[in-house]
Amino acid sequence: MANLKEIRNRISSVSSTMQITSAMKMVSAAKLKKAQDAITAMRPYSNKLTELLQSLSATLDADSGSKYSVQREVKNVLIVAITSNRGLAGAFNSNIIKEVSKLANETYANQEVSYLAIGKKANDAFKKTNKVIANKSELYDDLTFDNVAAIAELLMDKFIEGEYDKIEIVYNHFKNAATQIVMTEQFLPIVPVESDANVNLDYIFEPSKQEIVEALIPKALKTQLYKGIRDSFASEHGARMTAMHKATDNATELRDQLKLTYNKARQAAITNEILEIVGGAEALNN
């Protein structure tokens, strides 16, 4: 048949694609293990730091709040969108972009919204609005606490200076390799903690409790941002591994179907050739 060559070419193309997706799956699986270990190791520390800060804050007077907890009329909002630099990760990036757009167009429709992009995909999505104040895509080249702390300090400075009245973080929370949950967290101002009458901290504080809280808050904010980016980093590899696994399965199924079609077409071609030979022989005998 005339299309046998075309089918062979398609089989070759699909096989090549399958090899690529399979290799990408294995690479993401290897990176996922390291990223998962990193976020799993830091979560207890982050949670305990937040718990300690909240416990201390709950025992302070309401009028002794930090400069990071000042509640102002919300006019200018900054959304930190955390995505990846690369695609081929299913709905990993599109879910973040949709959530950020929803926040900007619905929740903060009456406010002036700006963006800080961590990841090229976020920058590409929102740079058309001319409201991206910074693109920190290079962070993934060297993802360390110190590099993230520099971004957190930038956000804290902008809040203290009154440039933004509210800062939100949107990222993918890593649950497992197959599940990522889009999270929106208020970064600044610090969410006030309701005082608990039963809070009893039988400690001797040196220096004062107020000074400890003021020293802990910047560290807690840096840790919060670092945890969010680490969560997103692990989620990216989990999403890409899952997406490449499905792509490999689909390519395998398509290749098998093409091989079956090719064999049927080849069999039909051979049958036609045999019939022609038999018909020619009979014509010669007659």
Side-chain angles (χ1 to χ4, degrees), residues 202-213:
D202 189 17
Y203 301 133
I204 297 175
F205 296 98
E206 181 64 37
S208 67
K209 196 183 301 182
Q210 175 70 28
E211 290 178 274
I212 292 174
V213 170

Side-chain angles (χ1 to χ4, degrees), residues 142-170:
D142 187 18
L143 183 52
T144 63
F145 181 81
D146 290 339
N147 289 337
V148 174
I151 299 175
E153 289 172 358
L154 172 67
L155 297 176
M156 288 185 278
D157 290 342
K158 288 185 176 297
F159 178 78
I160 293 171
E161 293 166 1
E163 190 171 342
Y164 298 104
D165 306 307
K166 195 172 186 181
I167 299 177
E168 300 265 25
I169 302 174
V170 183

